[in-house]
Amino acid sequence: MLAAIKSSLEKSSYTQLLSQSLAIIGGAFLGYKSFLLLKHYYHHAQEHPQNLIEIYGHDSYVLITGGSDGLGKAFAMELARQGFNIILVARDLNSLLRVKEQIVDKYPDRDVRTISLDCAEAIKGEPFLERLKREI
């Protein structure tokens, strides 16, 4: 009986080692294929950049949440540079007005609107959306 338990444990260790090895190999293969896919799309985007103004038109607006600083501000500046009108949404009205002033100073032909609104309220549903529609 002791020999049977020992044999069972050895088979269990072997099975566990085999399954872990296959999991590592599978994960590496999946990671490699994901890398190749991302590399393909990156090179395609570099070779064929899209002009968003041609797609959406010169009078288009972009609504940017968190537009008072960080990435939101950077997106706002870049999209204004590309020719879009901007709607900035963030909680702090003073910060929004500063960013609006910076955009208008640099791109005076852009229409920049600001909405002081906490997007965390979006989970409340209709009141948030109604206020956003009214402000726009």
Side-chain angles (χ1 to χ4, degrees), residues 3-135:
I5 294 173
K6 186 176 179 183
S7 175
S8 175
L9 286 175
E10 287 174 359
K11 287 180 183 178
S12 175
S13 301
Y14 175 74
T15 305
Q16 189 177 15
L17 179 63
L18 181 62
S19 67
Q20 287 175 346
S21 298
L22 289 175
I24 291 170
I25 291 169
F29 179 77
L30 185 62
Y32 174 71
K33 286 298 188 177
S34 298
F35 170 75
L36 290 179
L37 183 66
L38 290 173
K39 182 179 168 185
H40 169 75
Y41 283 114
Y42 175 77
H43 286 297
H44 179 74
Q46 294 294 320
E47 293 171 5
H48 308 288
Q50 293 184 346
N51 185 338
L52 296 176
I53 283 292
E54 287 180 9
I55 294 171
Y56 296 106
H58 287 284
D59 293 331
S60 295
Y61 282 82
V62 177
L63 186 138
I64 300 173
T65 58
S68 60
D69 61 6
L71 286 174
K73 179 181 174 183
F75 275 113
M77 296 298 285
E78 175 59 23
L79 291 168
R81 184 190 67 77
Q82 290 183 23
F84 285 96
N85 297 308
I86 307 293
I87 302 170
L88 296 170
V89 179
R91 289 179 293 188
D92 184 19
L93 182 60
N94 292 328
S95 297
L96 284 172
L97 294 175
R98 279 193 301 273
V99 174
K100 175 181 179 175
E101 184 179 325
Q102 292 171 1
I103 295 172
V104 171
D105 286 347
K106 197 165 187 176
Y107 308 104
D109 55 332
R110 304 293 179 266
D111 180 24
V112 181
R113 300 177 186 185
T114 59
I115 301 173
S116 178
L117 187 62
D118 185 359
C119 292
E121 293 177 13
I123 59 173
K124 295 178 183 174
E126 284 300 313
F128 173 83
L129 293 175
E130 290 303 318
R131 181 167 174 216
L132 186 60
K133 287 178 191 177
R134 188 175 60 246
E135 296 278 343

